[in-house]
Amino acid sequence: MGPKKGGQQAAGKRKGASSNAAGNDHDAEQDERLQAIVLSDSYQTRFRPLTLEKPRCLLSLCNTPLIEYTFEFLALAGVSEVIVVSCAHAEQIQEYIANSRWSSPSSPFTIETVLSPESMSVGDAMRDLDAKGLITSDFLLVSGDIVCNVPFDQVLAEHRQRRAKDKNAIMTMVLREASPLHRTRARAESAIFVLDEQTNQCLHYEEIKTRKHMKKISLEPEIFNKHTDLAIRNDFIDCHIDICSPDVPALFTENFDYNHIRKDFVHGILTSDLLGKTIFAHVVTDHYAARVRSLQTYDAVSKDVISRWTYPITPDSNLLADQTFQYQRGHIYKEDDVVLARSCRINSCTVIGARTVVDDGAVITGSVIGRRCKIGKNAKISGAYIWDDVTIGDNAVVDCAVIGDGAIIGESSHISPGAIISYNVKVGKGITVDGNKRLTRTEGDFGRDTDYEAVGTDGIGFVYEDESEVEEDDDYEEIVNSSGLIYNMASLNQSDASFTSSGEGTTARKARRRRISTASNNTAASEESDEESFMREAQASVERAMTEDHDIDIAALELGTLRMAKNAPFHEVRAATITALISRVSNLINSNTMKARQAVEHVLNRWAKLFRRQVFDLADQVDLLLLIQRDCTRRMQGSAILLHAINNLYDQDILEESAIMQWWYKEPQSKGDADMIKVGELVPRWLEWLTTAEEESEDDDDE
Amino acid sequence: MEFQAIILCGPGTELAPLVSPYMTKALLPIANRPMLYYSLEWCHRAGISSAIVVSSSAAEQAISQYIKLEYNSTQKAGMKIEVVPVDGETAFIIRSLKDKIKHDFILLPCDFVTDLPPQTVVDMHRNQPVKTIGSGIWYKNTLDSIDKKTLKPNLTIHTPLGKPHPRLLDVYPRPKGSDPLTVRMSMLWEHPQATISTTVLEAFIYLFSRRVLDDDGDLSSSATLAAAAATTTTTTAAASASPTATSTSTSASTDQSSSAPTNPADLPKWKKSWTALVRDIARDSWRHRDSSSRGTVGFYVVPADYSFLRCKSVSAYFEANRLVLKQTAYTPPPSTATAKGAVIGRDSLIGIGTEMDEKTNVKRSIVGADCKFGRECRITGCVIMDGVTVGNGVHLDNCIIANGVSVEDKVRLSGCTVEGRYIVSMGTQSKNEVLRGYSAEGLLDSDSDAIESYDSDEDSDEDEDESDDDGEINESELEQSEGEGIEYDDDDFFDRG
């Protein structure tokens, strides 16, 4: 109840503020203006290393920055006020917008950039917006990477009609119908929607984890009592184009564990009986809508733009003021001042920017070439995305790769399908770059030197590895699957087979998920039950609390909310907390920051208070002990951690003597297997101390 | 292409007390004609020339008699009708009729009433793609007056009706309590647009290709796999596993020329309810790696402009009478009935030989043959069967009075159902009750009990009804086939990728 109350207060404040600011009738306001929130950040790392230097929304798609497509769509939709929320590379976005035609007096809408530098997710951004009180009426929520030509009048009219009838219809999602394996349907982010056939009310949302391993979806029986005909749809492309009521940011504030707009927010609203809010879908059967959220979709959307599926948004509509594209037969788009040698060949579906020079004998097929590029003699380019100022050496071959601004590909080099060459990388002569390589010059956190093996002795750049990201992102397995330009089905199949042959238990899988950084599809296999998702979320919540040093009350509250939302038993809350705390302890020890005792004290002195709201009686204490013991079995120095943890919790009066006695002497599980016995090897001595109540434990060494 | 009709005459225990050992369901009159008449007539209008009427062995005699003596004599064009007694599950019945089924066939219940032209259904089936092995008909209940408890719609999953040639994909019983319904992903990859209908009811009219009877066909590999396992077990074990099937097959085996060492009719496929069998065919159409070559099941819902109902409860039976009454053109009552100045509304139907005394008023009612009404009776919205005697000053309102009931003077009944040969004693006043049993005194004491026990009867009897399979997809069976499905799913996807 706590967070809810707070949220309502916040909502109340927000409303007050908005009515003061606007100073007119709420309904009239709704009819006149349409706000749009553009989330310029994707909160993902799939485009790395390209996005290390530039935000995703400024990446060039068919020689036009992605965000232009979004603005064009908003202009067509009749939006009158655009708020761009930016986080990573905010200054670049601000600068871009300030210099664009959208900031000019002739712009169809007013534009404003809002910095939200702390936000790590869509949820954070929404909470930030709610706190800033910028939203006054129903608004359009889009990301800065959509390409869409759906006329919006009808969608909006339907939404408003529903809202007029029912204030609880807080959101309308725009979904495009396509085939389930459509190329612009992002493999990892597709989902199954269950809609009421008559009203299009969304009743169930289920993310498809990884295509292969979800065998079935479960539908709650209540929906069958309330609705007669339900459409289960696996053929929607969900571009995250939503019309939201101002309740949506407020709900994000109320539920601070909501991060993702779909799998947290939509799922949360649909599964919550308390809120009583409803979400609707608008199904688009014709027109185009796609979101560039992975390199595969980047590839697919580029092709769609070139083949004019997105009309009127095509290269020859020259979205930017200085563009001079002209359409030629066979979907070839050329700007002015392109220099083509007599003997070069430009095949169909190609875009070439201004002042690019293509030398004799070069062959370009189905590719996008930026401005001021130099394509050497007899170079072969097919299906590639080459941005501005790139030099391709003579006889080089570029096949289905992305080449960033200013990169240089040496003579006779071969760039294999799927490779990414980031900004200003120089690939030497005669080098073959594998399809799974990503070359960059941006060092990021680790200072690194040129990897001459990858780029050649005369090259500059090194191989980018996204290991560091893995730990932070819960969905990393999906990133692995979806980040490649080429969706490597063969390798996926292989790992599928390896999964089915290894019959791991869920706990083992979960343990590995956090620790193994090499990309393995095995973890993706988990068909996530509610229980598991609770464990994951709860664990993440405690971890977040520790890293961001939250107030203990807030952390406890968050856990409590989560527990109620998922209806999880306390046992699982304890398990999640234990896992998070011990893994923190373990990290401190493994990184040689502290010794075992010190680490345990450091973590538990502050955070063990969480257990006060999780452990209520003797049985709970025994359960807690078992959980600690079990968790310690898979840690380095587990026995030491166990010992000090028990000691510390005993000192903090969270564990009572009788519980410890019962756990050690009576609970069969405490000596259930070899691991459990081994990890408990130090316990008897401590018990001895406990019983004799002597102060010897001070001298216990840490090993 | 010709069709053969197979009309299943169930015992109709849910229609108690109207159906009794003396009155089988198929012959229960709707608007003064036996139920079976409407099914036969529907087939006749569809241009079907050969029909098999399947009844329980107990009811066979009465039904053959009706067909021989009454139905055939009233019909001009000849439709060959054969009455076959078989006891058992629907699928078993169909299997045991294999040698009699020469063409594609239409499976019908005997208890439906509709104004849907049969030709639309036949055309629908004929227009199905080649792969369709059969089509089924479903309907939505539009009448509020039918007891909701007796309608137990399953969760029927099909491709959207807006698309050409909707198909049946799966059938699940409504999940109990808070159990979630699980929908398989393999279906959603094969059919990304699927609809779960919670209200459609099985009309139990199926048009099937004769192929479905071929045991060695590729109908359902899971079934044949299981069959292979079954054949390896000793025949005695198989026999003991299915005592009902074997005991009944002795009566049916005389019709069967197939004298293979293991009786194909013992295949597990044929031991299921028909609904489960159809569901398995539908499931096999998307579940397997070679599913594209498998037969599919067409899905047809009776359009909203037509009425369709099945007499699966007393309230539905009552509505069926009204529906038929509405459809039939007004026929003036036989002269005997109008004697002595009784008033019979033009919205009523009166049987031959019925007599009415002075000032008796009949409105919106169906009265059977050979009834006798006294003076100053008021009959409104009633169904009165043959040979009922009504005394003087009786008011009947929305009642069903079965054959041979005697209603004494000054009785006032409203919304009551009276069992055959019951004697409603003088001055009885009742509302919404079921009057049954032969002793009036005993009943009046236990009125409420009678209603309750009647309800619970209905529930327990549901499963025994041979043609009404709606409630019969049992959980364990679903579980089992689910398990099989998973294995196939896996193979499926590795291949597809």
Side-chain angles (χ1 to χ4, degrees):
Chain A
M1 287 320 281
K4 214 164 164 201
K5 217 169 180 181
Q8 273 162 357
Q9 275 168 3
K13 246 187 262 166
R14 180 183 45 73
K15 249 180 216 145
S18 71
S19 62
N20 284 344
N24 57 12
D25 191 316
H26 192 66
D27 287 335
E29 195 178 71
Q30 256 194 13
D31 286 335
E32 285 163 14
R33 287 172 36 246
L34 178 63
Q35 283 184 313
I37 307 293
V38 178
L39 300 172
S40 72
D41 207 293
S42 58
Y43 310 105
Q44 284 157 348
T45 55
R46 290 180 192 161
F47 277 85
R48 291 205 174 178
L50 297 171
T51 47
L52 286 175
E53 287 153 73
K54 233 185 195 187
R56 187 203 282 196
C57 64
L58 294 185
L59 297 186
S60 150
L61 183 115
C62 294
N63 289 348
T64 305
L66 255 178
I67 203 164
E68 285 291 330
Y69 295 93
T70 304
F71 287 149
E72 195 67 31
F73 164 67
L74 294 178
L76 286 172
V79 168
S80 53
E81 190 185 336
V82 173
I83 298 170
V84 181
V85 182
S86 46
C87 156
H89 306 289
E91 55 314 318
Q92 281 186 50
I93 295 170
Q94 262 177 322
E95 193 192 329
Y96 179 85
I97 290 170
N99 296 327
S100 74
R101 64 183 165 122
W102 306 109
S103 302
S104 71
S106 64
S107 162
F109 45 72
T110 59
I111 193 159
E112 186 186 347
T113 18
V114 173
L115 294 182
S116 177
E118 314 82 38
S119 58
M120 299 295 292
S121 67
V122 176
D124 290 337
M126 294 300 270
R127 283 183 278 274
D128 209 21
L129 277 175
D130 190 43
K132 288 185 170 127
L134 289 164
I135 289 155
T136 53
S137 64
D138 285 14
F139 63 97
L140 185 56
L141 177 69
V142 295
S143 53
D145 50 10
I146 57 164
V147 178
C148 179
N149 64 359
V150 176
F152 222 65
D153 329 4
Q154 208 202 336
V155 188
L156 198 63
E158 274 181 25
H159 173 81
R160 285 185 169 157
Q161 213 177 350
R162 265 197 298 268
R163 281 281 285 166
K165 257 192 246 151
D166 180 9
K167 278 285 165 207
N168 283 327
I170 52 166
M171 184 164 154
T172 301
M173 304 183 281
V174 179
L175 305 170
R176 181 164 75 106
E177 192 175 301
S179 82
L181 301 175
H182 194 275
R183 60 181 177 181
T184 57
R185 199 169 182 233
R187 292 279 190 269
E189 261 183 87
S190 42
I192 289 173
F193 291 84
V194 178
L195 309 177
D196 182 296
E197 215 162 59
Q198 273 88 44
T199 61
N200 272 345
Q201 184 185 344
C202 185
L203 308 173
H204 185 86
Y205 173 85
E206 185 97 21
E207 200 176 356
I208 301 175
K209 275 298 176 193
T210 302
R211 194 168 91 78
K212 297 282 170 176
H213 291 300
M214 234 172 78
K215 292 225 167 39
K216 46 186 83 171
I217 61 168
S218 300
L219 303 176
E220 287 303 314
E222 290 94 72
I223 62 175
F224 301 114
N225 300 331
K226 290 184 200 143
H227 305 272
T228 55
D229 294 290
L230 304 107
I232 322 178
R233 304 291 294 262
N234 185 24
D235 58 346
F236 286 141
I237 293 175
D238 178 13
C239 309
H240 293 203
I241 301 172
D242 303 323
I243 309 175
C244 305
S245 74
D247 299 324
V248 173
L251 280 165
F252 268 103
T253 309
E254 279 173 35
N255 301 278
F256 37 70
D257 53 325
Y258 285 178
N259 282 330
H260 195 278
I261 185 100
R262 288 286 183 268
K263 69 181 168 212
D264 296 336
F265 180 76
V266 171
H267 186 262
I269 295 294
L270 294 182
T271 50
S272 150
D273 300 332
L274 292 169
L275 297 168
K277 307 286 185 197
T278 49
I279 294 175
F280 288 82
H282 185 96
V283 179
V284 179
T285 45
D286 38 15
H287 295 100
Y288 189 86
R291 190 174 165 205
V292 179
R293 54 177 130 199
S294 66
L295 283 159
Q296 297 140 38
T297 42
Y298 176 84
D299 178 48
V301 173
S302 298
K303 283 177 175 146
D304 289 339
V305 170
I306 294 169
S307 356
R308 311 181 76 77
W309 287 105
T310 55
Y311 189 83
I313 304 172
T314 51
D316 57 323
S317 57
N318 294 319
L319 296 179
L320 298 181
D322 61 339
Q323 280 178 333
T324 53
F325 279 108
Q326 283 188 348
Y327 177 70
Q328 294 177 357
R329 212 162 63 98
H331 297 324
I332 295 171
Y333 304 85
K334 272 192 299 199
E335 263 193 290
D336 296 347
D337 305 324
V338 172
V339 181
L340 299 181
R342 190 173 293 252
S343 60
C344 76
R345 219 167 71 222
I346 310 294
N347 290 327
S348 62
C349 297
T350 297
V351 178
I352 301 180
R355 292 187 292 287
T356 284
V357 180
V358 182
D359 221 326
D360 282 321
V363 180
I364 300 173
T365 311
S367 299
V368 177
I369 315 272
R371 290 179 166 181
R372 300 173 299 276
C373 292
K374 286 192 181 60
I375 311 294
K377 290 194 177 75
N378 299 319
K380 283 194 176 46
I381 295 167
S382 62
Y385 299 94
I386 294 170
W387 297 350
D388 296 344
D389 304 301
V390 171
T391 308
I392 308 281
D394 296 349
N395 299 314
V397 178
V398 181
D399 197 2
C400 301
V402 178
I403 311 230
D405 291 345
I408 298 170
I409 308 296
E411 286 169 31
S412 308
S413 284
H414 186 109
I415 313 293
S416 308
I420 294 170
I421 313 291
S422 190
Y423 311 99
N424 302 320
V425 166
K426 188 178 173 200
V427 177
K429 289 178 190 168
I431 298 292
T432 299
V433 179
D434 283 347
N436 55 10
K437 287 246 170 74
R438 296 171 172 214
L439 303 181
T440 183
R441 276 179 72 174
T442 312
E443 279 140 38
D445 300 332
F446 8 62
R448 287 188 59 178
D449 292 327
T450 290
D451 180 350
Y452 293 109
E453 216 168 283
V455 297
T457 44
D458 50 348
I460 308 167
F462 54 87
V463 177
Y464 172 78
E465 284 163 28
D466 50 0
E467 271 176 51
S468 60
E469 304 309 318
V470 166
E471 296 291 327
E472 289 166 24
D473 205 317
D474 282 336
D475 307 323
Y476 83 92
E477 69 270 15
E478 285 170 14
I479 292 171
V480 171
N481 281 347
S482 59
S483 58
L485 182 60
I486 310 287
Y487 191 56
N488 198 335
M489 200 61 104
S491 71
L492 197 70
N493 275 349
Q494 206 175 10
S495 44
D496 279 340
S498 74
F499 165 67
T500 39
S501 60
S502 69
E504 301 177 87
T506 29
T507 39
R509 238 173 21 226
K510 265 168 64 60
R512 285 164 46 121
R513 168 191 286 230
R514 293 251 141 224
R515 282 181 292 164
I516 299 182
S517 56
T518 47
S520 147
N521 278 305
N522 293 10
T523 43
S526 60
E527 192 182 297
E528 207 160 6
S529 62
D530 221 8
E531 184 186 312
E532 222 182 317
S533 78
F534 168 78
M535 287 290 283
R536 186 168 55 78
E537 280 182 45
Q539 217 175 307
S541 149
V542 178
E543 277 165 15
R544 197 165 48 240
M546 286 190 292
T547 44
E548 292 166 25
D549 204 26
H550 286 175
D551 191 11
I552 187 121
D553 287 321
I554 289 178
L557 200 61
E558 195 170 339
L559 266 180
T561 321
L562 206 57
R563 181 182 66 80
M564 281 189 268
K566 301 274 181 179
N567 199 13
F570 277 104
H571 168 79
E572 283 175 42
V573 184
R574 288 192 288 268
T577 317
I578 282 291
T579 313
L581 295 184
I582 306 268
S583 86
R584 171 90 170 167
V585 170
S586 173
N587 281 347
L588 287 172
I589 299 169
N590 292 349
S591 60
N592 287 328
T593 321
M594 292 177 194
K595 294 224 159 172
R597 195 176 113 201
Q598 220 182 341
V600 169
E601 274 170 11
H602 175 80
V603 173
L604 287 186
N605 280 347
R606 175 140 165 69
W607 296 103
K609 292 188 191 75
L610 287 173
F611 293 121
R612 292 200 191 284
R613 302 189 196 190
Q614 300 175 5
V615 178
F616 303 100
D617 58 23
L618 204 67
D620 286 350
Q621 293 182 22
V622 174
D623 180 54
L624 181 69
L625 280 162
L626 283 172
L627 284 166
I628 300 175
Q629 190 185 5
R630 174 59 67 192
D631 192 82
C632 286
T633 56
R634 54 193 182 82
R635 307 283 178 195
M636 302 254 296
Q637 299 189 41
S639 49
I641 298 176
L642 175 68
L643 176 71
H644 292 295
I646 293 171
N647 187 28
N648 188 287
L649 292 176
Y650 176 75
D651 285 347
Q652 292 198 45
D653 287 337
I654 288 164
L655 295 177
E656 287 163 37
E657 188 176 333
S658 53
I660 300 173
M661 292 301 174
Q662 192 183 338
W663 158 68
W664 188 250
Y665 293 112
K666 300 215 176 96
E667 189 62 48
Q669 283 183 57
S670 67
K671 299 186 186 70
D673 56 47
D675 283 348
M676 291 290 256
I677 293 168
K678 188 166 188 310
V679 83
E681 60 189 352
L682 296 174
V683 175
R685 278 169 68 190
W686 184 78
L687 285 174
E688 216 173 280
W689 163 81
L690 189 68
T691 42
T692 54
E694 284 170 2
E695 298 295 313
E696 282 170 13
S697 71
E698 292 298 318
D699 307 321
D700 266 349
D701 58 61
D702 294 324
E703 292 188 327
Chain B
M1 183 167 62
E2 269 308 316
F3 284 105
Q4 229 173 338
I6 301 174
I7 301 174
L8 300 170
C9 302
T13 29
E14 73 277 2
L15 283 177
L18 301 175
V19 167
S20 62
Y22 310 103
M23 171 61 83
T24 182
K25 181 168 84 167
L27 298 182
L28 192 68
I30 297 176
N32 292 342
R33 279 173 163 146
M35 249 182 217
L36 183 59
Y37 167 86
Y38 297 96
S39 306
L40 287 167
E41 197 56 22
W42 204 70
C43 296
H44 182 66
R45 276 165 63 204
I48 289 166
S49 57
S50 155
I52 301 171
V53 175
V54 183
S55 77
S56 63
S57 41
E60 185 223 346
Q61 210 184 353
I63 291 173
S64 351
Q65 211 160 18
Y66 163 72
I67 287 170
K68 222 181 290 169
L69 300 179
E70 290 185 49
Y71 186 81
N72 279 347
S73 62
T74 57
Q75 294 308 307
K76 290 137 272 168
M79 179 162 73
K80 214 181 111 216
I81 303 170
E82 193 181 352
V83 182
V84 180
V86 188
D87 298 291
E89 279 286 356
T90 314
F92 173 77
I93 292 170
I94 303 299
R95 181 60 189 74
S96 58
L97 292 174
K98 185 178 179 184
D99 299 315
K100 291 183 184 291
I101 300 172
K102 303 277 189 287
H103 308 287
D104 294 352
F105 59 93
I106 305 184
L107 189 64
L108 306 134
C110 69
D111 59 358
F112 72 98
V113 169
T114 184
D115 55 353
L116 177 74
Q119 206 54 47
T120 28
V121 175
V122 174
D123 288 348
M124 177 276 299
H125 180 68
R126 285 183 177 150
N127 288 333
Q128 290 280 343
V130 189
K131 280 203 309 178
T132 308
I133 194 164
S135 313
I137 305 200
W138 280 260
Y139 70 101
K140 287 185 180 174
N141 176 40
T142 49
L143 300 160
D144 294 330
S145 56
I146 293 180
D147 190 359
K148 289 284 176 299
K149 270 188 284 176
T150 63
L151 304 168
K152 297 177 192 155
N154 288 319
L155 299 177
T156 312
I157 307 181
H158 55 88
T159 56
L161 296 172
K163 306 273 168 181
H165 305 305
R167 281 194 203 177
L168 178 71
L169 297 176
D170 211 338
V171 179
Y172 287 100
R174 223 165 235 275
K176 294 191 189 86
S178 60
D179 296 349
L181 173 79
T182 50
V183 178
R184 296 189 206 164
M185 282 304 295
S186 51
M187 182 185 84
L188 293 174
W189 287 112
E190 198 75 21
H191 298 282
Q193 296 189 9
T195 302
I196 307 178
S197 289
T198 59
T199 51
V200 291
L201 295 152
E202 194 182 21
F204 217 79
I205 298 177
Y206 287 100
L207 297 86
F208 261 87
S209 155
R210 196 181 180 280
R211 275 188 288 152
V212 80
L213 296 172
D214 299 338
D215 288 310
D216 45 14
D218 59 345
L219 242 173
S220 130
S221 78
S222 60
T224 45
L225 277 175
T231 47
T232 54
T233 60
T234 58
T235 41
T236 51
S240 64
S242 59
T244 50
T246 44
S247 64
T248 49
S249 67
T250 47
S251 65
S253 59
T254 47
D255 308 326
Q256 282 179 6
S257 61
S258 65
S259 53
T262 45
N263 190 348
D266 280 342
L267 291 180
K269 175 173 138 190
W270 299 110
K271 283 182 196 144
K272 289 175 189 163
S273 69
W274 182 255
T275 307
L277 191 132
V278 171
R279 176 204 63 192
D280 286 348
I281 297 171
R283 265 187 198 170
D284 285 337
S285 71
W286 47 260
R287 190 163 78 170
H288 297 287
R289 115 180 46 172
D290 60 343
S291 49
S292 55
S293 65
R294 284 169 186 270
T296 58
V297 179
F299 182 84
Y300 181 81
V301 175
V302 176
D305 340 348
Y306 296 105
S307 317
F308 189 103
L309 65 89
R310 289 185 65 193
C311 306
K312 290 179 59 112
S313 63
V314 174
S315 49
Y317 168 75
F318 203 46
E319 285 300 328
N321 276 286
R322 285 186 185 164
L323 185 65
V324 174
L325 193 59
K326 243 187 275 173
Q327 285 167 19
T328 40
Y330 172 69
T331 44
S335 55
T336 47
T338 46
K340 298 174 190 166
V343 184
I344 296 168
R346 291 174 68 88
D347 45 11
S348 298
L349 190 69
I350 308 294
I352 296 173
T354 289
E355 291 174 21
M356 289 185 189
D357 219 327
E358 277 173 37
K359 290 186 183 169
T360 283
N361 193 336
V362 178
K363 275 192 240 162
R364 299 197 315 275
S365 295
I366 294 163
V367 180
D370 301 322
C371 295
K372 283 193 171 52
F373 287 79
R375 273 176 288 117
E376 292 171 39
C377 293
R378 272 208 267 145
I379 313 294
T380 316
C382 290
V383 175
I384 296 172
M385 293 181 198
D386 297 346
V388 175
T389 316
V390 178
N392 296 332
V394 172
H395 290 194
L396 299 176
D397 185 15
N398 289 309
C399 292
I400 302 175
I401 314 289
N403 282 340
V405 168
S406 175
V407 182
E408 295 180 350
D409 292 356
K410 301 215 165 90
V411 166
R412 284 185 165 64
L413 297 180
S414 169
C416 291
T417 306
V418 185
E419 188 183 24
R421 289 167 221 199
Y422 187 81
I423 297 166
V424 187
S425 55
M426 191 189 289
T428 305
Q429 301 205 358
S430 294
K431 226 177 174 183
N432 301 328
E433 279 175 18
V434 178
L435 306 181
R436 64 192 302 187
Y438 295 101
S439 131
E441 287 81 25
L443 246 164
L444 285 174
D445 298 337
S446 57
D447 280 337
S448 52
D449 292 351
I451 291 172
E452 273 170 27
S453 64
Y454 153 70
D455 278 346
S456 59
D457 274 358
E458 201 165 280
D459 285 345
S460 56
D461 288 344
E462 179 79 15
D463 288 349
E464 288 161 31
D465 186 356
E466 59 180 71
S467 67
D468 303 335
D469 293 325
D470 295 14
E472 287 195 3
I473 306 173
N474 65 49
E475 285 298 323
S476 62
E477 192 181 303
L478 282 180
E479 290 302 327
Q480 191 196 345
S481 50
E482 211 120 297
E484 289 159 19
I486 286 168
E487 281 172 30
Y488 287 111
D489 285 353
D490 267 336
D491 295 344
D492 224 10
F493 277 109
F494 292 129
D495 271 31
R496 192 168 305 146

